[in-house]
């Protein structure tokens, strides 16, 4: 299980929220448009409709992994794939469990897997790709 509740997830990962700009959410859309780290991300809104207000925001960006490989250190990269996925290269800043790590790849990302991850430590570099959709959790300002 990757999360027990939205409130618990926000409580655990608020320090790992990305800072950026949140744009108005079209009526009835489940996606948040969030710009951070020079990238425009479309995130499945996990904190409820009408909770997130346009403007400066701190959002926990959570992705489930399709691929992950250890790499040599390099320059952080992040590329948007499709409507709501990313691939990139980043540094592990926190190992949360055998299933979840926080990676800095132009912005902080909480990355989780349904199968155990390889042995990882802060400072390791990873290349990764997420499965769509990315999830967005509003963290308190």
């Amino acid at each position: 299980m990757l999360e027990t509740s939205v409130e618990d997830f926000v409580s655990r990962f608020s320090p790992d929220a990305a800072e950026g700009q949140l744009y108005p959410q079209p009526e009835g859309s489940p996606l948040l448009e969030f710009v951070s780290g020079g990238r425009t991300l479309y995130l499945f809104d996990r904190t409820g409709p009408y909770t997130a207000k346009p403007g400066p925001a701190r959002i926990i960006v959570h992705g489930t992994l399709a691929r992950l490989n250890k790499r040599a250190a390099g320059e952080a990269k992040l590329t948007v794939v499709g409507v709501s996925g990313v691939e990139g290269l980043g540094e592990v800043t926190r190992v949360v469990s055998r299933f979840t790590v926080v990676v800095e790849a132009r912005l902080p990302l909480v990355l989780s897997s349904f199968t155990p991850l390889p042995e990882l430590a802060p400072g390791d570099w990873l290349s990764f790709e997420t499965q769509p959709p990315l999830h967005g959790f509003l963290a308190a300002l």
Side-chain angles (χ1 to χ4, degrees):
M1 176 178 355
L2 301 181
E3 62 184 68
T4 55
S5 70
V6 169
E7 296 79 15
D8 177 59
F9 195 87
V10 169
S11 174
R12 288 190 308 144
F13 293 104
S14 281
D16 306 301
E19 294 187 18
Q21 184 73 25
L22 194 59
Y23 286 87
Q25 194 170 359
E27 184 68 32
S29 174
L31 297 179
L32 298 170
E33 183 178 1
F34 180 61
V35 176
S36 181
R39 300 294 180 259
T40 301
L41 304 174
Y42 292 92
L43 310 171
F44 183 69
D45 185 357
R46 293 299 308 278
T47 49
Y50 313 113
T51 304
K53 304 294 182 218
R58 294 183 66 244
I59 303 286
I60 302 160
V61 180
H62 181 233
T64 53
L65 290 163
R67 172 184 59 78
L68 176 128
N69 296 299
K70 281 187 172 183
R71 295 284 187 211
E75 183 179 338
K77 297 178 185 174
L78 191 67
T79 303
V80 175
V81 178
V83 173
S84 186
V86 291
E87 65 181 10
L89 176 69
E91 183 178 4
V92 174
T93 58
R94 184 160 74 107
V95 176
V96 179
S97 72
R98 291 277 296 142
F99 299 90
T100 302
V101 295
V102 179
V103 173
E104 180 68 36
R106 297 186 61 99
L107 61 120
L109 301 166
V110 177
L111 300 176
S112 297
S113 175
F114 291 106
T115 58
L117 297 169
E119 196 68 34
L120 298 170
D124 287 342
W125 281 76
L126 307 173
S127 66
F128 59 88
E129 183 176 355
T130 65
Q131 301 177 36
L134 290 169
H135 291 213
F137 297 80
L138 181 65
L141 278 176

